Amino acid sequence: MKHFLDIDKTSVAELHGMIADAKAIKNARNGRPRGAPDDDLPLKDNMVALIFEKPSTRTRVSFDVGVRQMGGQTMVLSGSEMQLGHGETVADTARVLSRYVDLIMIRTFEEATLLEMAEHATVPVINGLTNRTHPCQIMADILTFEEHRGPIAGKKVVWCGDGNNVFASFAHAAGQFGFDLVFSGPEPLDPEMGFVEQARAKGVSVEIDRDPARAVAGADLVVTDTWVSMHDAPSARERRHNQLRPYQVNEELMRHANPDALFMHCLPAHRNEEATNGVMDGPNSVIFDEAENRLHAQKAIMRWCLTP
Ligand code: CP
Ligand code: NVA
């Protein structure tokens, strides 16, 4: 079963293949109306379940549009409205859904839910974000970087802010795509060291630098994300804001990066918190290309999942 659970669980060759495929899929549409099908319909006659236990705009819409363009049909399911949210086990949900649909995408809280779904489903499962990782986002980000700047291998990527699920998938990607990564954030919000060590073991440099100006020196890409993720306790908001304020990505900080350094944010953003409007809407920002590329990257991921 070809599940897409995390970037570190997929081979380097397959990851490169998906990025190449995403570029080809994007180019092939060439301005076609959004509601028009692709020439190639790898999801023809396929039914896809999109399960959300957390809110979503990009993941929901990009998967839905992508499936339809590839000839399939979708159903968007809210976790709380399924029996899953009322005591049915994840394993039974996986077994039942596998009798109706050909592919499952799930956005959930605990990684264990995703893994249990994958273990018991007899159709491919895609990780649409857990508390720990967000691989589809980073596949779109790699596609976006490479469209603007060429191969990401050997480049320097600097993450400013919370060591969260999106950072974790960047660390997975650093190891697989071969770029160097710097984390700059407050110690209490450090990423799990396992992500850092795993990337280092694959031969890339992953540093932690508490000084954001020094961290972004020579950066080819500066990335940030919300200071409070969907799984974080609302009561932690004020403390997190106080801890993370020094790591805001603003025009002054970007002056320390390479002049052509790109800026990325997976969105949704809290403007003028983790990044200023000047940076988000500035000439080096590619945030809306990232959002668009969710569509193309995920079409490549789904095609990979369904190709024997
Ligand atoms: N970036 C991202 O996953 O956005 P959504 O939460 O809107 O899906
Ligand atoms: N870190 C954020 C990403 C949202 C797409 C969250 O988990 O809420």
Side-chain angles (χ1 to χ4, degrees):
M1 195 58 54
K2 289 170 83 177
H3 301 306
F4 185 73
L5 301 180
D6 270 315
I7 289 176
D8 69 322
K9 294 192 175 115
T10 310
S11 76
V12 173
E14 286 172 305
L15 292 168
H16 281 292
M18 283 184 228
I19 295 292
D21 199 25
K23 289 174 186 165
I25 288 170
K26 182 174 181 175
N27 290 337
R29 282 196 68 81
N30 197 19
R32 185 176 302 199
R34 278 81 187 256
D38 290 347
D39 291 328
D40 210 14
L41 299 174
L43 266 65
K44 189 174 184 306
D45 300 332
N46 280 215
M47 192 62 84
V48 178
L50 307 173
I51 305 172
F52 290 90
E53 295 194 303
K54 288 172 172 168
S56 169
T57 297
R58 280 143 289 268
T59 306
R60 175 179 171 154
V61 177
S62 58
F63 267 104
D64 201 339
V65 171
V67 171
R68 294 184 204 208
Q69 289 180 348
M70 293 197 295
Q73 298 188 57
T74 57
M75 64 195 67
V76 179
L77 304 164
S78 149
S80 62
E81 288 167 9
M82 297 172 71
Q83 300 294 6
L84 177 64
H86 300 273
E88 187 165 23
T89 66
V90 178
D92 284 347
T93 304
R95 293 179 185 114
V96 170
L97 288 179
S98 299
R99 301 290 180 105
Y100 300 130
V101 306
D102 304 291
L103 181 67
I104 299 168
M105 191 290 311
I106 180 167
R107 164 169 289 193
T108 187
F109 288 86
E110 300 305 325
E111 183 178 59
T113 303
L114 170 78
L115 298 180
E116 196 176 339
M117 185 72 76
E119 185 184 342
H120 297 281
T122 55
V123 299
V125 173
I126 295 176
N127 177 358
L129 178 145
T130 70
N131 296 357
R132 275 190 100 217
T133 59
H134 195 6
C136 290
Q137 179 67 53
I138 278 50
M139 291 298 281
D141 292 355
I142 302 288
L143 172 62
T144 306
F145 185 91
E146 297 203 336
E147 280 181 342
H148 285 272
R149 296 283 185 267
I152 198 166
K155 299 291 186 188
K156 176 176 175 178
V157 176
V158 180
W159 177 276
C160 292
D162 182 20
N164 66 13
N165 46 2
V166 179
F167 173 82
S169 286
F170 258 107
H172 281 157
Q176 299 291 67
F177 288 91
F179 57 85
D180 293 334
L181 185 61
V182 180
F183 170 79
S184 191
E187 191 174 352
L189 300 179
D190 272 352
E192 279 177 43
M193 280 308 123
F195 292 120
V196 170
E197 281 152 16
Q198 188 186 6
R200 284 178 180 157
K202 294 196 170 168
V204 294
S205 160
V206 186
E207 290 173 27
I208 294 179
D209 191 334
R210 306 284 171 213
D211 177 348
R214 192 174 56 205
V216 302
D220 300 297
L221 169 62
V222 178
V223 195
T224 191
D225 186 14
T226 181
W227 288 343
V228 186
S229 282
M230 293 182 272
H231 60 275
D232 289 322
S235 58
R237 185 177 181 279
E238 192 180 339
R239 174 172 45 79
R240 288 176 151 268
H241 276 235
N242 290 333
Q243 290 168 321
L244 287 160
R245 207 163 282 120
Y247 298 93
Q248 182 192 63
V249 181
N250 50 41
E251 293 89 324
E252 162 58 19
L253 183 67
M254 286 300 284
R255 273 194 273 280
H256 294 268
N258 282 343
D260 68 345
L262 296 177
F263 170 73
M264 288 192 189
H265 186 312
C266 65
L267 306 178
H270 298 78
R271 284 174 169 264
N272 295 318
E273 290 182 7
E274 66 268 16
T276 57
N277 281 338
V279 170
M280 292 192 61
D281 301 326
N284 294 2
S285 172
V286 290
I287 57 177
F288 298 113
D289 291 342
E290 283 181 85
E292 177 184 339
N293 282 337
R294 292 292 302 278
L295 170 65
H296 311 297
Q298 289 158 189
K299 286 167 81 174
I301 291 167
M302 288 189 280
R303 183 140 87 175
W304 174 82
C305 285
L306 289 167
T307 303

